[in-house]
Amino acid sequence: MAEYYEAAIQFDHVNYSDRGTLILKDINGLFPKGKITTLVGPSGAGKTTLFKLCNRLISPNSGEIQIDGRKIDQYNPIELRQNVGLALQSATMIRGTVMKNLTLPLTLKGSELTEKDAKELLQDVGLDEEFLNRNVKDLSGGQRQKVSIARTLVNKPKILLLDEITSSLDRVSQQDIEALIVRINQKYGTTIVWITHNLTQAITIGEYSWVMIDGELIESGESSFLDNPQNDQVKQFIKGDLA
Amino acid sequence: MTFLTLSLALIFVLIPIILSKTLQLELEKDTIIAAVRSIIQLLAVGYILQFVFDSQSIIYITLMIVLMIGAATQNARRKGASIKGITWKLIVTFIFVEILTQGILLGFHITPAEAQYIIPISGMMIGNSMVLSILFLNRFIAEIDAHQDEIELILSLGGTSKQAIHSQLITSIKASTIPTIESQKTIGLVQLPGMMSGQIIAGADPVQAVQFQLLILFLVLTSVVVTSVLLGFLSYPTLFNKQMQLLKAEE
Ligand SMILES: Nc1ncnc2c1ncn2[C@@H]1O[C@H](COP(=O)(O)OP(=O)(O)OP(=O)(O)O)[C@@H](O)[C@H]1O
Ligand SMILES: [Mg+2]
């Protein structure tokens, strides 16, 4: 029954604690290469923390993370972060226009995004091109999240980590993003991990899924397991979530 | 002024004490401590200066400057306790400001190489540098705390530590130096600078006093900007580790 997956990211007994509190407990699992993984779990489960580990903003206290079969700390941090793109739920913006934010990944490398590319990116995430010169102060939460995804795409990452991006989006926007995720995955073969609070999305968009609760990876595998969970905690979580 | 006339000046200490007693402000104790400490400290400094001026010995002059730098470091380091190695970073900053200012002053013969010029000017430079260090560190630590998300955003996109903290560094340098620069724009219009007033009272020619005051003002401009910039560039690397991760401030 267990299928073999090549891992884009592999976790081996990963523990992470902050000031004495254990936040991630003995995580063992993988995100399959070239596929879309959906990650679900209640608030405080450690999902965002796991993403920060993958982008190496933080490092595990013990255990090992491998990216494409190589230990994460063998990479140059800058190169790694360009290849493992991260769009966090906070969708932090730097002060200024949408254009300034979109071009940021290139500014850091000493170049610049052309207006044409910027407009294309906006179109990809479902924003009108007139947004380009808007100040980010005037964006809604959903619009910020779209800009944040577009900005992460500028580095053309091999692995894309998207944190709960649809929670503050309306239905139409959610569909834009779902379509975008599938399109990027198919067009570039990008490995995508997507934190979502919507179980239907987790099952339909994901090929592979993780359920995290309270710092632990409770169950993972082909997304269909969410239809018929074996683990009691997962059953409870799904029931609670659907209620 | 004689010590007799100076002791009459104690009337100005009695006035607040009497007011405090009658109105129960409870300021008597602090007023007395302040008065006694300033008498002892300033008299001690006066005698030490007289001794050093008489000797004109390079050893004593250097020793006094070392003491000033030590005291300034002691004062400022508490503000930067969360920055690793802040003590030596402050020492390097103060020494640099001192060498830069005295180097130019003595090198171009702007002031004579005599203790009565070197010591007070050094005191003013190091004192200013100390105040600026405290202003800068307060601001820098607050900026980082408030903008941690932005710093992590830039890191997460593949920026270097320097790129990640650049905006907070520049804001803090600007914010800590602007008050000094601004205050120089209106100087003399409202309040005469303390040093100049002192010189005029002591009988110096006002134009001469102004010339010295201008020299000090220009020196202060250098000292404030150099202090903030140098301390900033010495401090920011210790906020990150080798993996380019922003270190958490210890509580
Ligand atoms: N910087 C931090 N310092 C201390 N504790 C933290 C920090 N960040 C997160 N935590 C704690 O770690 C745990 C996991 O947080 P995390 O943000 O990873 O959860 P999450 O699964 O993303 O939750 P949510 O669905 O609400 O976004 C929580 O208990 C949180 O309080
Ligand atoms: Mg989260």
Side-chain angles (χ1 to χ4, degrees):
Chain A
M1 157 108 208
E3 204 182 316
Y4 175 77
Y5 287 101
E6 192 187 345
I9 305 185
Q10 170 98 43
F11 301 87
D12 215 358
H13 298 290
V14 169
N15 287 290
Y16 177 77
S17 57
D18 186 3
R19 281 167 255 214
T21 353
L22 203 53
I23 294 174
L24 292 175
K25 304 164 194 162
D26 197 33
I27 304 288
N28 291 289
L30 60 85
F31 297 141
K33 191 167 183 165
K35 301 203 184 303
I36 299 173
T37 300
T38 47
L39 173 48
V40 295
S43 188
K47 305 181 295 293
T48 301
T49 308
L50 188 83
F51 272 11
K52 288 188 174 178
L53 281 170
C54 297
N55 179 269
R56 217 167 138 196
L57 278 179
I58 53 179
S59 292
N61 296 64
S62 64
E64 201 169 89
I65 300 173
Q66 293 196 352
I67 310 270
D68 267 335
R70 255 174 80 196
K71 283 189 202 167
I72 195 167
D73 46 18
Q74 288 176 354
Y75 290 88
N76 167 301
I78 293 178
E79 204 183 307
L80 177 95
R81 286 168 184 162
Q82 287 167 350
N83 280 318
V84 182
L86 177 62
L88 287 180
Q89 66 201 122
S90 48
T92 305
M93 298 280 130
I94 56 163
R95 263 169 289 176
T97 60
V98 169
M99 181 64 186
K100 194 173 166 202
N101 273 275
L102 288 182
T103 199
L104 177 63
L106 295 182
T107 313
L108 297 174
K109 293 186 236 180
S111 70
E112 232 178 285
L113 193 68
T114 64
E115 200 169 301
K116 183 171 154 284
D117 288 344
K119 284 180 178 166
E120 237 173 76
L121 274 168
L122 286 183
Q123 208 179 4
D124 276 344
V125 294
L127 279 179
D128 198 278
E129 57 181 53
E130 61 154 306
F131 276 93
L132 207 54
N133 293 314
R134 286 263 190 104
N135 192 306
V136 289
K137 271 193 309 209
D138 307 325
L139 299 183
S140 72
Q143 290 162 345
R144 268 168 181 258
Q145 298 237 312
K146 287 177 165 183
V147 173
S148 160
I149 300 168
R151 185 178 57 193
T152 306
L153 291 176
V154 171
N155 274 332
K156 300 196 166 56
K158 293 203 192 86
I159 301 171
L160 188 55
L161 308 173
L162 303 177
D163 191 357
E164 218 180 16
I165 47 174
T166 56
S167 55
S168 54
L169 298 174
D170 55 64
R171 265 206 77 74
V172 181
S173 291
Q174 287 203 13
Q175 284 163 0
D176 285 346
I177 301 299
E178 281 179 25
L180 174 72
I181 288 177
V182 173
R183 188 148 34 97
I184 294 169
N185 171 254
Q186 284 172 354
K187 196 167 160 190
Y188 304 105
T190 309
T191 303
I192 298 178
V193 188
W194 186 22
I195 294 174
T196 170
H197 278 175
N198 182 325
L199 273 168
T200 321
Q201 275 183 337
I203 298 168
T204 54
I205 306 298
E207 292 169 65
Y208 199 86
S209 293
W210 277 39
V211 180
M212 287 180 72
I213 299 173
D214 206 11
E216 290 180 81
L217 170 56
I218 305 291
E219 202 166 346
S220 67
E222 231 174 290
S223 298
S224 53
F225 83 83
L226 289 170
D227 280 326
N228 187 15
Q230 301 300 308
N231 182 291
D232 284 346
Q233 270 179 287
V234 178
K235 272 185 206 166
Q236 250 178 358
F237 165 66
I238 287 176
K239 248 191 261 162
D241 200 77
L242 292 175
Chain B
M1 197 152 46
T2 63
F3 277 105
L4 178 70
T5 47
L6 182 61
S7 56
L8 282 175
L10 285 174
I11 295 170
F12 296 115
V13 178
L14 281 176
I15 292 172
I17 292 174
I18 292 165
L19 267 178
S20 173
K21 262 248 179 301
T22 45
L23 296 176
Q24 294 180 327
L25 301 175
E26 295 179 358
L27 296 173
E28 311 86 277
K29 200 173 146 213
D30 283 323
T31 310
I32 292 170
I33 291 175
V36 172
R37 279 191 63 161
S38 46
I39 292 171
I40 296 172
Q41 288 168 9
L42 285 182
L43 280 180
V45 168
Y47 284 113
I48 292 171
L49 285 179
Q50 198 159 47
F51 173 74
V52 174
F53 291 174
D54 287 346
S55 78
Q56 288 293 347
S57 147
I58 184 86
I59 294 170
Y60 289 130
I61 295 174
T62 313
L63 194 67
M64 282 226 51
I65 292 170
V66 167
L67 283 176
M68 287 174 191
I69 291 177
T73 306
Q74 189 58 33
N75 256 325
R77 59 186 278 200
R78 266 168 273 147
K79 292 294 167 194
S82 61
I83 293 170
K84 244 186 284 159
I86 189 63
T87 305
W88 77 261
K89 292 185 166 85
L90 286 165
I91 292 175
V92 167
T93 304
F94 297 147
I95 290 178
F96 185 82
V97 166
E98 170 66 11
I99 290 177
L100 179 73
T101 51
Q102 288 298 330
I104 294 172
L105 287 175
L106 300 179
F108 287 105
H109 301 290
I110 299 170
T111 53
E114 283 168 25
Q116 59 264 47
Y117 290 92
I118 296 174
I119 288 173
I121 293 176
S122 298
M124 281 186 270
M125 289 310 106
I126 295 166
N128 250 292
S129 193
M130 176 190 82
V131 171
L132 247 290
S133 303
I134 293 171
L135 287 177
F136 172 79
L137 289 171
N138 272 341
R139 184 60 185 251
F140 194 41
I141 290 165
E143 282 290 317
I144 292 165
D145 206 43
H147 298 281
Q148 200 173 325
D149 283 356
E150 279 165 56
I151 297 169
E152 290 203 329
L153 166 74
I154 294 173
L155 291 176
S156 81
L157 290 170
T160 60
S161 305
K162 188 173 169 192
Q163 287 172 325
I165 203 129
H166 185 259
S167 156
Q168 284 66 43
L169 187 58
I170 298 301
T171 307
S172 311
I173 290 174
K174 273 191 180 166
S176 57
T177 51
I178 281 175
T180 306
I181 297 171
E182 282 302 312
S183 73
Q184 292 202 4
K185 288 187 189 165
T186 55
I187 203 152
L189 296 181
V190 183
Q191 200 181 6
L192 290 181
M195 189 199 80
M196 197 174 101
S197 312
Q199 268 191 301
I200 293 172
I201 290 168
D205 161 22
V207 175
Q208 176 94 43
V210 165
Q211 284 176 346
F212 263 104
Q213 187 63 51
L214 282 176
L215 173 68
I216 298 299
L217 290 180
F218 298 158
L219 281 169
V220 164
L221 286 179
T222 283
S223 113
V224 298
V225 177
V226 169
T227 298
S228 283
V229 171
L230 187 58
L231 196 56
F233 280 86
L234 287 175
S235 299
Y236 88 81
T238 51
L239 300 169
F240 299 88
N241 64 17
K242 279 213 185 71
Q243 314 197 52
M244 295 192 187
Q245 295 169 340
L246 181 65
L247 296 172
K248 298 222 165 80
E250 311 277 319
E251 297 294 301

